[in-house]
Amino acid sequence: MSHAPSTVTIVTARVAFVALLLALWIIGSSAYGSAVLPSPLEVVATILQGFREGWLIHATLVTLSEVLPAFAIAAIVGAGLGIALGLARFWGDVLEPMVLGVYSIPKITLYPIFLVLFKLGLASKVAFGFFHGVFPIEILTQGATSTISPTYLKVARTLNLTPWQTAAHVVIPAIVPAMAVGLRLAFSLTFIGVILAEMSASRAGLGFLLNAADSTFDSRRTLAVIVILAIIGIGTNLVFYALERRVSPARPEARQATLAM
Amino acid sequence: MVSMQLTFQRVSKIFSNRLGNDSVAALEDIDLRIASGEFVAILGPSGCGKSTLLEIVAGLQAPTSGEVLLDGEPVHSPHPRVSVVFQEDSTFPWRTVAENAAFGLEMRGVRKAERDGAVAHAIELVGLCGFEGHYPHQLSGGMRQRVAIARTLVMNPAVLLMDEPFGALDEQTRFVIGEELLRIWDATRCTIFFVTHSLHEAVQLADRIVVLSARPGRIKSIFENRLSRPRVEAKDPQTYAVLMASLREAIGLTSAVFDPDAPRVRPARAEA
Ligand SMILES: Nc1ncnc2c1ncn2[C@@H]1O[C@H](COP(=O)(O)OP(=O)(O)O)[C@@H](O)[C@H]1O
Ligand SMILES: [Mg+2]
């Protein structure tokens, strides 16, 4: 039996690892020159400048205003569809290959269709972000719903529960851990979808900024935007991980689903 | 009225697939009368239709022909005074021990203040005092089955159906929890219909042991168990041995194949 490393050890190792990456970054930046790879300090300075001048804040707000509704719709539609198709075996079986098929397409290739349908502004980003993020939560919710323990459903039947009681007190609590994993993935993918859409065709937002900086070889701005993207991504992931831990009181299967994705 | 009597009238069950070209006869002509407050074990090899029979009593499945009567009333759907303990873990991992035990009453709309007493009593009966706030994942398999039993006890069942409830437990735990079940039965006096494939468990627990044949399940023989409780072999080795031997014979299989609990004869090892 080996002892699990303590939290302190893990955090120390993490800090050391980040320090190592920063050191490599600094070495790389002095080796290639700051025009190619600006140093961390220069990037921080650019971020502060972007906040002072407003362009970085504006772009971040534009992106978030697209991501949040896209995520909300993806979560509601994905979870709702997942439960419905998980319970209605027939339709679940009918649609499953199609869902998985569309899921496996690189979705950005379909973005031009969204542009035609929803024009260049907010609507096309929300719609594409939704489309990019809805699949994992639908697939995970459907999977959890259709594989719910038959014994749980028998317990519900022996107690003569109404369909509503069965849904509210047996089915939904049983799939909450899988749904929490689905929500985290849905947020990540919605966010990525919106950024991809902004990079492809847009007039504002972090993706737009990234594209503009790239085309003028402004690597400081590029890295400044990437740092903001990373902060949003990591921050939201931490929140969703905390949510997952709350809803799955040490249920091993939920942990495994987390790792598998 | 504390408990109810159970009558099986020529109960048969045939499973057929949708095309009707492939059917499995699971049960054939089960005729049996179980008295109110009796503890009956249904003993038979795996696949002989024990769970099917139990689910028919529970109202979860309909017989192909014949009827099950509860105090003379035919069973068509789950009866509110009949509770089931399943073989698989059926505790809800999102509910604590107390919340699991309270589930049935909660679903019936009994208010918390009114159900608390019943829940505390059930938890005490299954010996889980002090674990009320624990979640199932913090408990052993045996404790989780106690939670499942507590969940049925709060409903004050007239008939308790148990489908190999201790099948996943080790022999020692199984014996201990069996004795506790007898104590609970003593306290509640409900009718218990106990499915098992273990001879030892059937002998330890039941007043009557109904032996089913291999598929299709038919009643092969019924044994009265007159051993006094607790039924440990040492107390009355003669009667115990005779009962075991006749059960083994009824089953028509060698003990090693049929009963995984039976002590095996190990080849003697040379000591250094
Ligand atoms: N829903 C079903 N459809 C088809 N066959 C079934 C079904 N349920 C059980 N059976 C078959 O009926 C027989 C009896 O099953 P079961 O009652 O589970 O046996 P036991 O509990 O004694 O092991 C088995 O052969 C099983 O394969
Ligand atoms: Mg069975």
Side-chain angles (χ1 to χ4, degrees):
Chain A
M1 290 293 282
S2 66
H3 287 282
S6 73
T7 316
V8 176
T9 319
I10 292 173
V11 170
T12 313
R14 249 181 222 158
V15 170
F17 200 74
V18 172
L20 179 72
L21 286 180
L22 277 175
L24 285 176
W25 184 353
I26 291 167
I27 294 167
S29 129
S30 56
Y32 290 101
S34 74
V36 178
L37 183 60
S39 73
L41 276 180
E42 288 170 306
V43 172
V44 170
T46 310
I47 290 173
L48 292 177
Q49 184 194 355
F51 279 171
R52 262 196 321 275
E53 295 170 6
W55 48 266
L56 194 50
I57 290 183
H58 177 249
T60 305
L61 290 179
V62 166
T63 297
L64 288 180
S65 72
E66 293 159 351
V67 170
L68 293 179
F71 169 66
I73 301 169
I76 292 166
V77 171
L81 214 58
I83 292 174
L85 293 182
L87 291 177
R89 275 295 156 78
F90 173 76
W91 289 107
D93 288 348
V94 168
L95 293 176
E96 188 166 30
M98 286 163 245
V99 170
L100 291 176
V102 178
Y103 179 52
S104 58
I105 298 174
K107 280 166 273 310
I108 192 67
T109 54
L110 300 175
Y111 186 53
I113 300 172
F114 284 81
L115 277 178
V116 171
L117 289 176
F118 296 102
K119 309 292 180 273
L120 200 54
L122 175 96
S124 62
K125 311 297 175 292
V126 172
F128 185 74
F130 156 77
F131 176 62
H132 205 259
V134 72
F135 290 91
I137 182 153
E138 194 284 326
I139 292 168
L140 282 171
T141 308
Q142 184 180 337
T145 308
S146 61
T147 57
I148 202 165
S149 159
T151 311
Y152 290 173
L153 299 177
K154 281 184 195 167
V155 169
R157 283 180 58 207
T158 56
L159 289 168
N160 276 315
L161 300 196
T162 63
W164 167 247
Q165 282 180 313
T166 303
H169 297 285
V170 180
V171 176
I172 291 178
I175 64 173
V176 156
M179 268 176 20
V181 178
L183 279 181
R184 174 168 57 79
L185 296 174
F187 189 90
S188 296
L189 288 179
T190 304
F191 185 45
I192 294 169
V194 165
I195 299 298
L196 286 175
E198 285 176 348
M199 288 175 76
S200 295
S202 67
R203 285 175 302 224
L206 290 169
F208 170 79
L209 211 56
L210 205 54
N211 229 12
D214 269 350
S215 57
T216 57
F217 301 105
D218 188 343
S219 44
R220 283 186 201 189
R221 272 200 184 197
T222 303
L223 278 170
V225 174
I226 291 173
V227 168
I228 298 295
L229 293 177
I231 288 171
I232 297 174
I234 294 168
T236 49
N237 257 289
L238 288 177
V239 171
F240 282 111
Y241 270 122
L243 176 77
E244 274 168 45
R245 270 195 297 275
R246 268 190 82 117
V247 298
S248 51
R251 288 215 283 164
E253 69 269 43
R255 288 277 161 76
Q256 270 157 18
T258 310
L259 296 176
M261 295 312 292
Chain B
M1 178 187 45
V2 184
S3 60
M4 293 168 105
Q5 69 175 33
L6 257 173
T7 313
F8 297 78
Q9 288 179 340
R10 306 204 60 181
V11 174
S12 300
K13 178 76 181 180
I14 298 168
F15 289 107
S16 43
N17 65 7
R18 265 180 218 151
L19 300 170
N21 55 10
D22 186 26
S23 61
V24 176
L27 292 167
E28 207 170 272
D29 278 343
I30 303 291
D31 261 313
L32 181 66
R33 190 180 287 270
I34 297 177
S36 182
E38 198 181 359
F39 195 135
V40 169
I42 306 295
L43 181 66
S46 199
C48 76
K50 303 183 295 294
S51 297
T52 305
L53 192 60
L54 180 139
E55 293 200 356
I56 290 172
V57 183
L60 296 173
Q61 292 194 39
T64 310
S65 64
E67 258 182 340
V68 174
L69 309 174
L70 272 171
D71 272 358
E73 292 290 316
V75 174
H76 295 301
S77 60
H79 191 283
R81 301 271 340 257
V82 175
S83 290
V84 189
V85 178
F86 295 95
Q87 176 172 11
E88 308 81 27
D89 181 13
S90 66
T91 56
F92 296 136
W94 58 88
R95 284 177 169 254
T96 62
V97 168
E99 288 166 352
N100 264 291
F103 186 70
L105 289 182
E106 195 184 318
M107 293 303 107
R108 275 191 199 164
V110 178
R111 264 189 264 115
K112 190 171 175 348
E114 289 160 47
R115 63 180 188 246
D116 275 350
V119 169
H121 182 59
I123 287 176
E124 195 191 316
L125 270 178
V126 300
L128 283 179
C129 287
F131 292 94
E132 290 84 352
H134 283 57
Y135 283 91
H137 73 88
Q138 298 169 305
L139 307 177
S140 67
M143 290 164 95
R144 283 203 286 265
Q145 281 308 59
R146 289 166 201 253
V147 176
I149 294 170
R151 183 169 64 196
T152 64
L153 293 180
V154 296
M155 306 309 284
N156 185 25
V159 177
L160 190 52
L161 308 175
M162 307 184 88
D163 192 354
E164 306 195 30
F166 313 136
L169 309 180
D170 62 87
E171 211 178 329
Q172 181 100 24
T173 313
R174 195 194 282 201
F175 182 81
V176 172
I177 204 171
E179 290 303 310
E180 282 173 16
L181 176 63
L182 289 172
R183 197 170 39 70
I184 291 167
W185 176 55
D186 226 34
T188 60
R189 280 290 147 195
C190 57
T191 309
I192 299 188
F193 180 91
F194 191 99
V195 166
T196 180
H197 67 263
S198 160
L199 289 161
H200 293 269
E201 200 171 45
V203 169
Q204 181 199 356
L205 299 175
D207 292 332
R208 256 190 323 153
I209 301 166
V210 177
V211 178
L212 294 189
S213 64
R215 207 172 61 207
R218 257 174 285 180
I219 294 185
K220 215 169 175 185
S221 39
I222 301 179
F223 292 89
E224 298 281 336
N225 185 351
R226 292 189 217 284
L227 285 162
S228 66
R229 297 188 167 98
R231 289 160 176 163
V232 283
E233 193 170 355
K235 233 166 76 176
D236 187 356
Q238 191 69 37
T239 322
Y240 193 91
V242 169
L243 180 60
M244 281 308 246
S246 29
L247 280 170
R248 288 211 172 100
E249 198 190 312
I251 284 146
L253 288 167
T254 61
S255 64
V257 174
F258 182 72
D259 184 5
D261 301 335
R264 308 263 161 84
V265 181
R266 277 202 217 113
R269 253 197 242 146
E271 298 288 310

